[in-house]
Amino acid sequence: MSPFQIIFNPTSAAELAKMPKELQLFILGEFRGLPHDLHSQGEKFGKLERAGKSLHRFRLGDYRVYFERHDLGVVVYRIMSRNTLRDFLYRSNLPIREDEALQENPKFWGQIEAARTPVKVPPRD
């Protein structure tokens, strides 16, 4: 089995760096087992699709990690507080679930696209 890498882009790395160390360790620790868990369906994971692109949501306590599959593992684009998302849904007055609301919102996808940078992965030895 090849190694599984979790690649943080500059935006998600900056979001993680702003968090208290205990929260950083919690989030990083929750990524253990992700390759096996990713195939399971449940409340922990969600999938958002738009214009032929897929993005996954990983629920970690009060945070949502948005990532995309990559040949070597996953690329994390954003780490957002659940409270930020709840506030957005409340202000938008949308009577639908979190993933559905985000999937249809161009502002959310704009944030994801702004966080996308070409991922440079070192070659395997």
Side-chain angles (χ1 to χ4, degrees):
M1 186 165 129
S2 61
F4 183 83
Q5 293 184 5
I6 299 154
I7 304 162
F8 290 88
N9 73 348
T11 302
S12 62
E15 291 168 342
L16 187 66
K18 290 178 186 176
M19 297 176 181
K21 293 289 181 206
E22 297 81 22
L23 183 56
Q24 290 178 24
L25 293 173
F26 167 73
I27 289 173
L28 292 172
E30 289 298 310
F31 274 100
R32 284 176 295 154
L34 183 65
H36 303 291
D37 292 346
L38 192 52
H39 299 292
S40 67
Q41 300 297 323
E43 287 296 310
K44 195 174 191 180
F45 297 102
K47 187 172 184 178
L48 295 86
E49 295 179 352
R50 183 174 185 209
K53 295 182 181 181
S54 292
L55 191 68
H56 297 275
R57 183 233 338 116
F58 185 18
R59 288 186 183 181
L60 296 171
D62 287 338
Y63 289 86
R64 304 296 182 256
V65 178
Y66 294 93
F67 65 93
E68 182 176 61
R69 289 182 188 226
H70 185 275
D71 290 342
L72 299 176
V74 298
V75 177
V76 177
Y77 291 109
R78 299 299 306 254
I79 303 172
M80 304 172 101
S81 168
R82 179 178 83 179
N83 296 329
T84 303
L85 298 173
R86 258 196 202 151
D87 183 55
F88 166 77
L89 294 174
Y90 175 75
R91 285 184 288 111
S92 300
N93 206 18
L94 298 172
I96 55 179
R97 293 183 21 215
E98 180 181 301
D99 290 343
E100 292 169 347
L102 293 176
Q103 185 169 284
E104 299 302 321
N105 188 297
K107 289 182 181 180
F108 171 77
W109 288 99
Q111 288 183 341
I112 296 299
E113 289 302 320
R116 284 186 196 269
T117 56
V119 177
K120 294 181 181 175
V121 180
R124 289 191 231 186
D125 294 329

